[in-house]
Amino acid sequence: EKLLQNYLVLEKHKNEELRELQSGTKQLKNEMQKMESQVTAAMIKIDDKEAELQCGGKAYNELQEELDTVYEKLVCLAQIYEVQEEEVTEKDAKFQHDFHTIKRKLQKQIQQNDVLEEETNKLQHE
C-alpha cells in the first residue's frame, strides 16, 4: 500500500511535470511562432529595401546616362559655337577688308569725278 501511495505520488508529480513541460512547450511554440513572424516581417522589409535600392540604383544609373548625354551634347554645342565664332570672325575680317576696298575705290571715283567736273567746268568757260 505504501508502495502504491508512493507510486501515485510519483505519478502525480510526473503528470504535473508533464503538464508544466507541455505548458512550457506550448509557450515556446507560441514564442517561436512570434519570432518566425518577426523574422518573416524583417525578411520582407529587407526584400522591400533591396528592391528600393535596386530601383534607386536603376534611377541613379538612368539619371547618370541622361547627364552623360546632356554633357556630350553640351560639348558638341561648344565645338559648334567655336567653329561658328571662327567663321564669324573670318567673315567679319573679309567684310572689313571688302568695305575698306570699296570705300577706297569710291573715294578714287569721287576724286576722279571731281577732277572731271572741274575740267568740264573749265572747258565750258573757255
Side-chain angles (χ1 to χ4, degrees):
E1 194 174 307
K2 190 149 183 134
L3 260 161
L4 184 60
Q5 258 183 346
N6 283 341
Y7 174 76
L8 289 174
V9 169
L10 282 174
E11 189 71 26
K12 185 179 172 185
H13 284 296
K14 184 181 94 172
N15 287 339
E16 285 175 8
E17 284 181 18
L18 269 174
R19 269 188 246 120
E20 284 177 18
L21 280 173
Q22 285 173 346
S23 174
T25 302
K26 209 182 242 188
Q27 283 179 344
L28 281 174
K29 274 186 180 180
N30 287 340
E31 288 192 31
M32 282 178 58
Q33 286 175 344
K34 284 179 189 176
M35 287 181 150
E36 283 176 1
S37 295
Q38 290 172 347
V39 167
T40 302
M43 289 174 73
I44 290 171
K45 282 184 182 178
I46 289 171
D47 290 344
D48 290 347
K49 289 295 178 189
E50 283 179 354
E52 281 179 34
L53 286 172
Q54 287 175 351
C55 287
K58 184 178 178 184
Y60 172 81
N61 290 339
E62 289 172 358
L63 286 173
Q64 187 64 46
E65 287 175 18
E66 195 173 323
L67 182 62
D68 290 345
T69 302
V70 168
Y71 179 76
E72 289 170 11
K73 287 179 182 178
L74 186 60
V75 168
C76 288
L77 287 174
Q79 291 170 343
I80 291 169
Y81 174 78
E82 286 177 23
V83 168
Q84 287 179 344
E85 188 177 34
E86 287 174 19
E87 289 175 0
V88 165
T89 303
E90 289 171 10
K91 286 179 181 179
D92 184 52
K94 186 179 182 315
F95 171 79
Q96 292 295 329
H97 173 74
D98 291 349
F99 175 77
H100 289 296
T101 302
I102 291 169
K103 185 178 176 184
R104 280 192 301 269
K105 286 180 181 178
L106 280 173
Q107 286 173 339
K108 280 183 184 177
Q109 189 71 39
I110 289 171
Q111 286 173 349
Q112 287 174 352
N113 284 347
D114 288 345
V115 168
L116 282 174
E117 194 176 323
E118 281 179 28
E119 287 177 10
T120 303
N121 285 340
K122 280 183 187 177
L123 286 173
Q124 282 179 351
H125 284 1
E126 287 178 8

